[in-house]
Amino acid sequence: MEYKIQANKLQLYYGNTLALKKISIDVIKNTVLALIGPSGCGKSTFLKSINRMNDLIDSVKIDGEVLLDGSNIYHPDTDVVMLRKRIGMVFQRPNPFPMSIYDNIAYGPRIHGLKNKAKLDELVEKSLKGAALWGEVKDRLSSSAMGMSGGQQQRLCIARLLAVEPEVLLMDEPCSALDPISTMKIEELVTELKNQYTIIMVTHNMQQAARVSDYTAFFLNGELVEHDKTDAIFTRPQDKRTEDYITGRFG
């Protein structure tokens, strides 16, 4: 069993507010981990700690460590730009750049130094295929990404991530703004992508967590209450608070 991400006693403060309380969790390579729990319980904060997006907030203080392949990402020598290349993120609402579909995908590789047109063409095609979008857009790559549907835009954002060849995909409620058919496509995509990537996904949707994840972690008030195989969390939770949440008694 190979761990891709390991958090050890991770604590995060916003000013004087303790938002994450000694979170320790191991994420197995090439699996999908769902993070569930009520709003404001620390799921997204934890997710953003894994690629240091919380660094962008002035009042944040972090203790503990997060390991990527055994190396602490909070070590002073960490190259944060390279870290975010290895650990990409998709947000709640699709955020395509106001440029063509092609340029959205080519943007990251160009920043990282890829200028060869033939190689860019190949990478754009590969990334769009990886996001199950190539068939829908291959004849309009020069069209603006802003003209795509919401579901297509979200898959474009996933393709944009894949183009910089990450190892871990972080997804913060990637389907919350989408219709049921687009949601189904994203869920199918997640199931396919875990063959190549390690995926951590925040979701409010219990059924979605049950459908797509291998493991589930339940957060409450900044604390990791329980973490187990998804089937175990949903059918025989060990903690009464987990049971109360998944049966709808609160949240």
Side-chain angles (χ1 to χ4, degrees):
M1 193 179 296
E2 188 180 346
Y3 295 123
K4 189 68 183 174
I5 300 279
Q6 294 168 283
N8 297 322
K9 295 184 177 170
L10 181 70
Q11 296 216 119
L12 184 142
Y13 296 83
Y14 290 120
N16 295 321
T17 305
L18 181 58
L20 293 177
K21 304 170 187 171
K22 292 195 173 171
I23 306 294
S24 293
I25 189 170
D26 297 327
V27 185
I28 299 167
K29 187 177 179 179
N30 296 115
T31 59
V32 179
L33 169 67
L35 309 180
I36 64 169
S39 294
C41 68
K43 305 183 299 292
S44 293
T45 299
F46 175 66
L47 197 72
K48 289 173 185 163
S49 301
I50 299 171
N51 71 345
R52 293 187 47 173
M53 289 289 280
N54 291 314
D55 287 18
L56 306 171
I57 303 164
D58 286 342
S59 61
V60 162
K61 177 175 172 281
I62 292 173
D63 297 322
E65 57 182 16
V66 175
L67 307 181
L68 171 63
D69 291 336
S71 297
N72 184 15
I73 67 167
Y74 284 96
H75 189 279
D77 294 342
T78 300
D79 179 338
V80 179
V81 173
M82 190 51 66
L83 174 72
R84 292 188 190 135
K85 181 178 182 293
R86 294 178 68 192
I87 304 180
M89 189 158 185
V90 177
F91 298 92
Q92 284 185 355
R93 296 199 169 270
N95 57 343
F97 302 142
M99 52 180 74
S100 73
I101 293 170
Y102 182 99
D103 287 337
N104 262 271
I105 308 297
Y107 184 85
R110 281 176 179 147
I111 281 184
H112 290 287
L114 183 60
K115 300 286 186 266
N116 181 301
K117 175 79 167 67
K119 285 191 172 158
L120 276 172
D121 288 352
E122 196 180 304
L123 191 56
V124 167
E125 180 174 339
K126 180 183 165 193
S127 304
L128 286 166
K129 281 179 174 170
L133 196 53
W134 176 250
E136 294 167 49
V137 302
K138 66 178 191 293
D139 299 324
R140 55 186 182 110
L141 294 177
S142 58
S143 306
S144 169
M146 309 314 278
M148 303 169 85
S149 71
Q152 287 177 326
Q153 286 186 355
Q154 191 64 298
R155 280 181 288 146
L156 180 74
C157 292
I158 294 171
R160 195 170 67 196
L161 267 192
L162 302 185
V164 296
E165 300 177 324
E167 299 160 39
V168 179
L169 306 180
L170 307 178
M171 298 185 166
D172 193 358
E173 293 194 61
C175 304
S176 65
L178 304 181
D179 61 87
I181 290 170
S182 297
T183 295
M184 188 179 75
K185 285 186 175 172
I186 297 278
E187 288 181 5
E188 287 170 355
L189 183 54
V190 167
T191 305
E192 281 173 38
L193 289 173
K194 76 174 181 188
N195 295 316
Q196 287 175 269
Y197 308 92
T198 303
I199 300 173
I200 305 175
M201 177 195 256
V202 170
T203 179
H204 265 110
N205 183 325
M206 299 288 163
Q207 290 80 15
Q208 182 171 75
R211 282 192 298 263
V212 305
S213 68
D214 303 292
Y215 292 85
T216 295
F218 171 55
F219 280 71
L220 187 63
N221 300 326
E223 184 187 334
L224 174 59
V225 174
E226 193 166 347
H227 167 230
D228 205 338
K229 287 186 172 173
T230 295
D231 179 54
I233 291 282
F234 282 97
T235 58
R236 40 185 193 284
Q238 302 298 304
D239 193 294
K240 177 87 168 62
R241 293 168 294 175
T242 312
E243 185 182 347
D244 287 349
Y245 181 71
I246 61 179
T247 54
R249 291 199 186 99
F250 74 93

